[in-house]
Amino acid sequence: MQLYNTLSAKEREELIDKAGKKRLTLSFYKYAHIEDPKDFRDQLFITWNKLDVLGRIYVAHEGINGQLSLPADHFENFKAHLDEISFLKDIRLNIAREQDNKSFLKLKIKVRKKIVADGLNDASFDVTNKGIHVGAEQFNELIDDENTILVDMRNHYESEIGHFQNAITPNVDTFRESLPIIEEDLKDFKEEKNLVMYCTGGIRCEKASAYFKHKGFQKVYQLEGGIIEYARQVKDQGLENKFIGKNFVFDDRRCELITDEVIAQCHQCGQPFDVHTNCANDACHLLFIQCDECKEEMNNCCSTQCKEVHALPYREQKELRKGQGNSNDIFKKGRAEHLPYKKDLRNIFETLGKSPK
């Protein structure tokens, strides 16, 4: 029985083009107790492979985290299958604002220790004792309150291209880094301030809200459904949109347009630009922001050295990579020293211009 993807990305692209069907990109998550993640993973693959689902899904004892695409005409069958699983019945599905038939080209369902790497000892606190979930309207009211501290729970390369007005945007490379930083820098406001958090779809905030409540924060809120759901509600309800720029997404689209403002810059030349790319050198693959002009000049590479390597015949490139580790720390996205306009490391409060005190 087939339990793993057997087609290359190129072969899948050809099949998608040949099918000529509109596909939907969506995401969802759920914290739940899964007794046998491996068996659960295999059952999902069997069913979803038949529905032509493609994407990146993580399964763990603590739940499931999925970003995926599927043919639009298979959506109802997919939803019916989720409803057959007790803890996924009637789960909210975040439908992407901008659709792309090729947002995912493989079905990868992986068993992990956690559905989000957070570095936490979950046994020390109740992960179900989470903060208050709020929709777009209440979220807007809260962040207009001078008694609120708004925190972006995403990484620096995400907030760099788009974030909420007046949000604290910690300059961290991973989610696990942000938790102790936020706790330390906001320790004097545990009782008096509203701690309001947001992320892409809600999964990071859900764990963080339980963690911060455990650490003594009294008024903890999270944006229900994250930026994705906020954008939908703002449009459907005619609310004021307090998000500026693009929403970073973890698929081949790289981002979704929320507003027209471009708040980032090309890491190579400094001109306004806000779309990430991966360095074309297979030994690098650094994620960074590169404008169209630099992309053409540098052949989609992050440095002259990578450009020279990328121009070599494939066999020579492969020989050079033998026994070598990745040339960039995979978590230092856009932080390589040779990028003159990379985002600077700054204090957590610098985006506000002052401390909440």
Side-chain angles (χ1 to χ4, degrees):
M1 183 178 294
Q2 180 186 342
L3 292 175
Y4 297 91
N5 180 77
T6 59
L7 297 177
S8 69
K10 184 176 181 180
E11 290 172 322
R12 181 65 68 178
E13 278 192 87
E14 292 173 351
L15 286 177
I16 289 174
D17 289 337
K18 185 176 180 180
K21 290 184 176 182
K22 176 184 176 183
R23 298 182 67 90
L24 294 176
T25 298
L26 57 89
S27 61
F28 69 93
Y29 74 91
K30 183 69 175 181
Y31 286 102
H33 179 67
I34 298 177
E35 187 70 29
D36 189 340
K38 175 61 168 59
D39 180 68
F40 182 66
R41 175 260 173 219
D42 291 346
Q43 295 306 314
L44 289 181
F45 190 95
I46 292 169
T47 301
W48 290 1
N49 191 46
K50 293 176 182 177
L51 293 174
D52 197 18
V53 172
L54 304 173
R56 186 186 307 109
I57 298 93
Y58 298 139
V59 175
H61 283 292
E62 70 172 7
I64 182 172
N65 178 19
Q67 298 90 40
L68 54 90
S69 79
L70 75 163
D73 58 3
H74 289 177
F75 177 79
E76 292 302 326
N77 288 336
F78 175 76
K79 183 64 171 64
H81 173 250
L82 294 182
D83 285 342
E84 292 174 356
I85 302 170
S86 58
F87 67 88
L88 295 179
K89 182 174 175 57
D90 296 325
I91 190 170
R92 184 194 65 254
L93 301 176
N94 288 326
I95 308 296
R97 285 171 54 83
E98 298 177 349
Q99 297 298 331
D100 183 338
N101 279 359
K102 299 174 183 177
S103 56
F104 292 100
L105 295 173
K106 293 184 178 182
L107 176 57
K108 297 180 180 179
I109 308 179
K110 298 182 178 182
V111 175
R112 293 284 179 87
K113 289 184 177 180
K114 292 191 175 186
I115 55 177
V116 174
D118 52 33
L120 297 177
N121 175 15
D122 293 355
S124 67
F125 66 100
D126 182 2
V127 296
T128 66
N129 184 23
K130 56 196 176 186
I132 299 172
H133 288 213
V134 295
E137 184 174 10
Q138 188 177 356
F139 179 81
N140 281 356
E141 294 173 356
L142 274 170
I143 63 179
D144 281 341
D145 187 341
E146 61 182 16
N147 198 47
T148 289
I149 299 176
L150 177 62
V151 181
D152 191 323
M153 294 304 301
R154 301 172 303 155
N155 303 322
H156 76 89
Y157 56 90
E158 299 172 77
S159 60
E160 182 174 8
I161 65 170
H163 53 76
F164 281 99
Q165 300 167 25
N166 297 323
I168 293 173
T169 56
N171 250 301
V172 295
D173 296 311
T174 63
F175 174 59
R176 69 173 65 199
E177 291 177 69
S178 66
L179 297 172
I181 291 174
I182 293 168
E183 180 191 354
E184 174 61 25
D185 286 341
L186 301 182
K187 63 184 178 182
D188 294 334
F189 311 101
K190 290 185 176 182
E191 296 185 4
E192 61 183 280
K193 296 287 188 179
N194 301 316
L195 174 59
V196 181
M197 298 175 291
Y198 70 90
C199 57
T200 307
I203 187 170
R204 286 174 279 189
C205 290
E206 186 125 341
K207 178 67 71 71
S209 69
Y211 172 79
F212 287 126
K213 288 185 70 175
H214 170 67
K215 290 295 183 177
F217 287 85
Q218 300 297 307
K219 304 173 184 178
V220 182
Y221 301 83
Q222 76 170 85
L223 177 59
E224 171 75 15
I227 300 165
I228 298 173
E229 177 65 11
Y230 175 86
R232 186 192 68 79
Q233 290 184 18
V234 163
K235 181 179 179 181
D236 291 349
Q237 300 174 30
L239 304 174
E240 179 184 359
N241 182 12
K242 294 181 178 292
F243 189 93
I244 53 175
K246 289 185 171 69
N247 179 30
F248 185 96
V249 293
F250 293 88
D251 59 58
D252 287 345
R253 295 172 300 150
R254 297 292 186 216
C255 60
E256 289 184 330
L257 180 69
I258 306 296
T259 65
D260 293 328
E261 291 99 331
V262 177
I263 66 171
Q265 60 186 356
C266 173
H267 288 166
Q268 289 177 318
C269 73
Q271 75 164 310
F273 203 74
D274 56 6
V275 179
H276 287 81
T277 188
N278 282 110
C279 179
N281 177 11
D282 286 336
C284 179
H285 281 175
L286 178 74
L287 183 73
F288 69 111
I289 298 177
Q290 184 181 50
C291 69
D292 295 335
E293 289 81 0
C294 288
K295 187 184 293 288
E296 182 175 355
E297 178 183 346
M298 298 297 294
N299 197 17
N300 203 173
C301 292
C302 71
S303 68
T304 301
Q305 182 180 5
C306 281
K307 180 180 178 181
E308 292 172 352
V309 172
H310 183 53
L312 295 174
Y314 179 73
R315 288 186 179 179
E316 289 187 39
Q317 293 185 49
K318 194 172 181 180
E319 284 297 317
L320 288 173
R321 294 198 299 272
K322 279 187 177 180
Q324 302 296 318
N326 194 293
S327 64
N328 288 299
D329 183 333
I330 60 172
F331 293 119
K332 304 299 181 184
K333 296 177 171 63
R335 289 280 177 79
E337 290 301 319
H338 59 269
L339 295 174
Y341 295 94
K342 61 184 179 294
K343 186 175 182 181
D344 293 330
L345 288 168
R346 292 172 293 180
N347 179 275
I348 186 175
F349 293 118
E350 194 164 321
T351 51
L352 288 179
K354 59 181 180 180
S355 165
K357 296 182 182 179

